[in-house]
Amino acid sequence: QVQLVESGGGLVQAGDSLRLSCAASGRTFRTYAVGWFRQAPGKEREFVATINWSGGITYYADSVKGRFTISRDNAKNTAYLQMNSLKLEDTAVYYCAARPYGPATAWSGYDSWGQGTQVTVSS
C-alpha cells in the first residue's frame, strides 16, 4: 500500500479545464498502477482512467475519452488527471487509487485510495 493525496479540484464552468494531482508516498509508487475514479451524488463509483507503472499503457472510460488525459511523473511520485472540456456530468468527487499490479478498471482491484477532491462544473 501507498498513501495518496488528491488535489486540484474546484468549481469551474462548463468547457473549462482542471488538472488533478495525486501525490503518493514511498518509492514503491513507481511500480504501482494508478487509477482515477469518481463518484457523483446518488451514483456508484465509476472508473475514469488508469495508467501502468511506466506510463506506457493507459485506459479511459468512454465518457471521458478524448477529453481527459492521465499521466504520471515517477520522479515526483505524482500522478495527474488533466481534464479538458469539462461538462456538468463531470461533477463528482474524484479519487486516486493505486495497485501493485497492472492497470485495472474495477475499483475493487485497488488497495490504496486517496481522500478525494471535489470537482464541480457549473453552467
Side-chain angles (χ1 to χ4, degrees), residues 43-84:
K43 302 289 186 178
E44 292 187 349
R45 187 176 351 182
E46 67 173 340
F47 166 75
V48 176
T50 187
I51 189 169
N52 78 321
W53 72 272
S54 68
I57 302 174
T58 59
Y59 299 100
Y60 297 91
D62 288 340
S63 59
V64 306
K65 196 172 300 181
R67 299 188 298 120
F68 291 10
T69 301
I70 187 172
S71 62
R72 67 191 299 163
D73 187 342
N74 287 340
K76 296 182 178 180
N77 261 23
T78 304
Y80 306 95
L81 184 68
Q82 178 66 46
M83 306 185 294
N84 298 329

Side-chain angles (χ1 to χ4, degrees), residues 1 6 18 28 31 34 45 50 54 56 67 77 82 85 92 102:
Q1 290 186 301
E6 304 96 332
L18 275 178
T28 56
T31 68
V34 172
R45 187 176 351 182
T50 187
S54 68
R67 299 188 298 120
N77 261 23
Q82 178 66 46
S85 302

